[in-house]
Amino acid sequence: MPRVQLHDKTFEPFIPADELERSIDAVATELNRTYAGKRPLFLGVLNGAYFFAAELVKRITVECEITFVKVASYHGTQSSGQVAQLLGLNERLNGRHVVVLEDIVDTGNTMEHILALLKDHHPASIAVATMLFKPDVFKKDFPIDHVALRIPNAFVVGSGLDHDGLGRNLPGIYRIVP
Ligand code: IMP
């Protein structure tokens, strides 16, 4: 795999597609074991998680449902911090076993907002499954339950992850060249 140029940045091959797929296999095995008989609702976070969601659910053998949401964040007028809203959530989550699917968990800020919003819907359980996780950056105290691959703190693209709109289509994962 050669280097690629996306806007002003250069990226080099980092994780080959077959290694990424094997790690997604392992997450699917965990989930099949954990959710047997529970009919989980997989909730993919757009845009980035479309690839992980598709690769994961084709390996899920238990009865399940899948849907997608978008996170819109804006500065509220009443508060000094960021306010997040989930767009496109039409399913009733009350009493359901929800598994949030993310492309990457970095600081965990985004996931913290998502989990807070989902808890308002009173699901029976909430778990997080992410394709990539940067443990050195993550500073939150909630668990990241299912991780396909742990990576060092570097900006990456490919398999759904983008740099300013580009790179989502690249197979495998590419890392920024400093
Ligand atoms: P967090 O809120 O810091 O955990 O970051 C989560 C979001 O930031 C992800 O859903 C991505 O959209 C984006 N992000 C974080 N790290 C990367 C990266 O290395 N490449 C591309 N996007 C990233």
Side-chain angles (χ1 to χ4, degrees), residues 7 41 52 82-83 91 117 122 133 136 146-147 161 163 167 172:
H7 299 297
L41 174 64
F52 179 50
Q82 282 260 305
V83 181
E91 287 71 12
L117 292 167
H122 306 294
F133 180 43
D136 299 340
H146 305 276
V147 176
L161 290 154
H163 165 45

Side-chain angles (χ1 to χ4, degrees), residues 11 45-49 102-114 132 134 137-138 140 142 151-158 160-164 168 174:
F11 292 82
V45 182
L46 292 173
N47 290 327
E102 252 294 23
D103 50 0
I104 189 163
V105 176
D106 189 335
T107 62
N109 288 335
T110 307
M111 190 55 71
E112 188 171 51
H113 286 307
I114 293 171
L132 301 180
K134 297 182 187 172
V137 189
F138 185 72
K140 306 290 179 185
F142 56 84
I151 62 166
N153 182 17
F155 189 79
V156 293
V157 295
L161 290 154
D162 73 306
H163 165 45
D164 203 8
R168 293 191 200 277
Y174 285 68

Side-chain angles (χ1 to χ4, degrees), residues 65-152:
E65 292 174 46
I66 175 144
T67 190
F68 288 91
V69 292
K70 269 201 169 201
V71 181
S73 53
Y74 55 92
H75 289 284
T77 51
Q78 302 294 316
S79 98
S80 51
Q82 282 260 305
V83 181
Q85 195 187 352
L86 290 182
L87 304 180
L89 182 63
N90 301 317
E91 287 71 12
R92 281 173 51 89
L93 303 186
N94 194 338
R96 300 296 308 272
H97 294 282
V98 176
V99 183
V100 185
L101 306 181
E102 252 294 23
D103 50 0
I104 189 163
V105 176
D106 189 335
T107 62
N109 288 335
T110 307
M111 190 55 71
E112 188 171 51
H113 286 307
I114 293 171
L115 294 176
L117 292 167
L118 292 177
K119 277 178 188 152
D120 291 343
H121 294 262
H122 306 294
S125 68
I126 309 180
V128 176
T130 186
M131 181 170 75
L132 301 180
F133 180 43
K134 297 182 187 172
D136 299 340
V137 189
F138 185 72
K139 295 284 180 279
K140 306 290 179 185
D141 54 10
F142 56 84
I144 304 299
D145 307 273
H146 305 276
V147 176
L149 284 174
R150 286 168 179 76
I151 62 166

Side-chain angles (χ1 to χ4, degrees), residues 11-26:
F11 292 82
E12 62 187 6
F14 180 36
I15 301 164
D18 59 347
E19 185 182 336
L20 185 60
E21 284 170 24
R22 278 198 302 277
S23 70
I24 297 173
D25 265 343

